[in-house]
Amino acid sequence: MAKTATLKIDDQELELPVIIGSEGEKAVDVRKLRSTTGYITYDEGYGNTGSCQSEITYIDGEAGILRYRGYPIEQLAEGFSFEDVSYLVIYGELPTPEQSAEFSARLRNEAPIREGMVRFVQGFPRGAHPMAVLSSSLNALGAYHSQMASNNHERDLKHFDEAAAIAMAKVRTIAAHSYRVVRGKPLNYPRPDLDYSENFLHLMFSEPYEEYKATPEVASAINLFLLLHAEHEQNCSTSTVRMVASAGANLFASTSAGVSALWGPLHGGANQAVLEMLNTIHANGDDGSRFIEAAKDGKARLMGFGHRVYKNYDPRAKIIKGSFDKALESLGITDDPLLDIARRLEAAALSDDYFISRKLYPNVDFYSGLIMNALKIPVDMFTVMFAIGRMPGWIAQWHEVASNPKSRINRPRQVYMGPVPRDVM
Ligand code: SDX
């Protein structure tokens, strides 16, 4: 494999170093390009641009491979808790039983939010989208934990373990509160005897007159959903977290920005868009072919399909799809019309040359909404669930930026295409 890349430009010939990743990824290092040639690279959407070197997640998009800290997602999806996988993503190793118990205890202790924060969340109007509540509340957490949100990374890192637990524990509590506030329901308080997923379901669905008891199967389905969303290298929202962190911003401000980016329908908002598409097809009683035709005519995107990196089946979609029958059976659901529509839509798209030639396969969002729908999680909470799942990844990526003494502020260049110099008079 080449050690350098030769660039011939104008009357120069330049040898650019090549960086090889631990899994064989190859990158041409252009950090000296502008200072030696005056040229910059141009890559709108960053499809060919490595923004950092990272040790957290490896994706092989052509082969449909996803690994958290070297462990295949298929193995982690088998019997690991979201808490333990979050520990792996954040700290780099699977926890020992003692570390696991200590981390879970910390998450339980940090589950409640201050009464001032409760009032802040209750200030949102009925009908507000929970993602708006979540992104603003996450940033507000920094006001309640200012000793770890000083915007001085050296100082903030001294409280990293506590900040990580606060962000993970409270994002789940705030999410459940946002669900209830926008529906005018009274808030629940976390219970110290429940694990992460069970507590989330209790916070969401318990009523003053009736405690919600999650069945092991439902809690297991939530655990799997969260675990599959825990990390995904430099996606749009994670890159946003790193961008904000690169300026020296604290963990809460950075992850709040990540929530905002995730909300977009081309990113985490796709799971909500998929369910809305399936519900429309079901309500109209048609076969959904008009969504495929609209996608082929360039009038709309087939939501839940395609991926910037995966040019093969998203391994997470495969796992969710595979766990479906077990989840439905455990929920006592014999048939799910939306699942039948999704399966028909997938089969139609995967046999259509438009999708085949562009390597457009179902991504994690195509099936994830169906699981949440079966669990009676409302559609406007789907992307919120994604944000809860992604929090350990954002924390780990923020830490990579904050703890790197050579980290520089992210400041891309541009090619100016505006008016040439002119005078006002
Ligand atoms: C997530 O990056 C991550 O890791 C994200 C994520 C994570 O875990 O963080 O995996 C989570 O965001 C998954 C993606 C969820 N989004 C959707 O399902 C929305 C629908 N998908 C598309 O909008 C699209 O596929 C993207 C946004 C996901 C990727 O966009 P790209 O890489 O910019 O794709 P592109 O525009 O380069 O597409 C190449 C071609 C184009 O056609 P041509 O110009 O070649 O004729 O494929 C077409 C696109 O029009 N295309 C689609 C399509 N996706 C791409 N056509 C119809 N339907 C689609 N879904």
Side-chain angles (χ1 to χ4, degrees):
M1 202 179 293
K3 291 267 184 291
T4 60
T6 305
L7 176 68
K8 284 187 180 172
I9 197 157
D10 299 341
D11 55 358
Q12 280 183 293
E13 185 165 303
L14 201 62
E15 288 301 309
L16 293 169
V18 165
I19 298 171
I20 309 288
S22 53
E23 288 276 358
E25 276 167 311
K26 301 167 284 189
V28 176
D29 182 347
V30 295
R31 283 177 289 183
K32 294 258 189 292
L33 182 67
R34 190 171 184 278
S35 60
T36 46
T37 69
Y39 283 81
I40 61 171
T41 60
Y42 182 71
D43 185 21
E44 193 164 347
Y46 307 127
N48 302 279
T49 297
S51 62
C52 62
Q53 296 183 40
S54 177
E55 300 179 0
I56 302 168
T57 294
Y58 174 68
I59 296 175
D60 178 333
E62 282 66 33
I65 288 172
L66 169 60
R67 298 192 196 115
Y68 295 164
R69 302 284 189 176
Y71 293 108
I73 189 68
E74 294 79 5
Q75 294 179 23
L76 295 171
E78 285 297 326
F80 282 90
S81 70
F82 173 59
E83 293 98 314
D84 284 355
V85 170
S86 298
Y87 186 99
L88 166 69
V89 165
I90 295 171
Y91 294 105
E93 296 296 338
L94 283 166
T96 62
E98 297 72 27
Q99 290 167 329
S100 174
E102 194 270 332
F103 187 60
S104 293
R106 201 184 290 169
L107 293 181
R108 283 190 173 89
N109 295 338
E110 289 298 355
I113 61 175
R114 305 276 179 82
E115 286 307 311
M117 272 295 289
V118 170
R119 284 192 294 279
F120 175 82
V121 173
Q122 285 173 324
F124 285 86
R126 289 184 69 143
H129 195 292
M131 284 295 272
V133 181
L134 189 62
S135 60
S136 30
S137 305
L138 259 178
N139 211 345
L141 274 180
Y144 286 88
H145 303 279
S146 53
Q147 73 283 16
M148 55 192 81
S150 69
N151 282 5
N152 172 305
H153 280 168
E154 199 178 337
R155 271 208 300 274
D156 291 349
L157 283 169
K158 290 191 174 73
H159 305 278
F160 174 68
D161 292 342
E162 195 186 349
I166 284 170
M168 270 205 63
K170 291 176 171 41
V171 71
R172 177 266 330 266
T173 305
I174 292 167
H177 284 358
S178 67
Y179 159 77
R180 295 185 68 87
V181 158
V182 301
R183 286 164 175 78
K185 288 172 170 278
L187 302 186
N188 293 308
Y189 284 82
R191 282 179 39 183
D193 59 319
L194 299 179
D195 74 14
Y196 195 92
S197 301
E198 291 165 338
N199 230 336
F200 173 69
L201 291 162
H202 151 65
L203 287 162
M204 281 275 289
F205 297 127
S206 284
E207 298 300 344
Y209 49 86
E210 186 181 27
E211 191 75 24
Y212 176 87
K213 280 294 289 163
T215 64
E217 295 78 12
V218 169
S220 161
I222 294 285
N223 179 74
L224 177 64
F225 175 93
L226 295 175
L227 176 156
L228 290 175
H229 285 77
E231 227 297 287
H232 215 241
E233 54 128 289
Q234 303 312 313
N235 57 82
C236 179
S237 52
T238 300
S239 298
T240 302
V241 170
R242 289 186 78 113
M243 171 74 80
V244 174
S246 76
N250 66 75
L251 176 66
F252 306 113
S254 303
T255 52
S256 166
V259 172
S260 300
L262 186 72
W263 194 0
L266 294 183
H267 189 13
N271 55 22
Q272 177 171 343
V274 169
L275 236 294
E276 287 160 356
M277 172 180 72
L278 295 176
N279 277 321
T280 304
I281 295 169
H282 182 48
N284 297 346
D286 63 39
D287 63 0
S289 54
R290 59 195 173 84
F291 284 90
I292 289 184
E293 291 315 311
K296 290 166 66 176
D297 298 343
K299 292 197 187 88
R301 292 279 172 105
L302 186 62
M303 302 312 271
F305 261 74
H307 198 278
R308 173 62 58 80
V309 174
Y310 288 124
K311 300 308 171 192
N312 199 324
Y313 217 103
D314 183 332
R316 301 166 298 177
K318 213 180 275 182
I319 293 168
I320 289 180
K321 190 180 169 190
S323 72
F324 228 98
D325 296 334
K326 195 170 74 175
L328 289 185
E329 190 190 327
S330 69
L331 296 170
I333 299 170
T334 47
D335 75 305
D336 180 335
L338 297 186
L339 176 59
D340 298 339
I341 294 170
R343 283 176 169 152
R344 281 203 310 274
L345 213 51
E346 175 188 345
L350 294 186
S351 57
D352 187 302
D353 184 58
Y354 173 89
F355 293 86
I356 296 169
S357 62
R358 292 169 178 78
K359 297 184 179 173
L360 302 176
Y361 290 86
N363 58 51
V364 67
D365 292 308
F366 189 67
Y367 281 105
S368 59
L370 285 164
I371 280 250
M372 289 187 283
N373 192 53
L375 297 174
K376 306 274 185 279
I377 305 275
V379 170
D380 66 348
M381 284 295 288
F382 285 10
T383 311
V384 173
M385 294 286 295
F386 192 144
I388 298 172
R390 187 52 52 86
M391 186 51 80
W394 288 338
I395 292 167
Q397 300 270 354
W398 178 87
H399 187 267
E400 266 197 349
V401 175
S403 58
N404 174 6
K406 295 204 186 94
S407 180
R408 301 177 71 207
I409 190 167
N410 293 357
R411 203 278 185 213
R413 293 282 181 152
Q414 64 164 24
V415 177
Y416 176 69
M417 306 296 266
V420 294
R422 53 185 172 163
D423 300 320
V424 290
M425 306 298 276

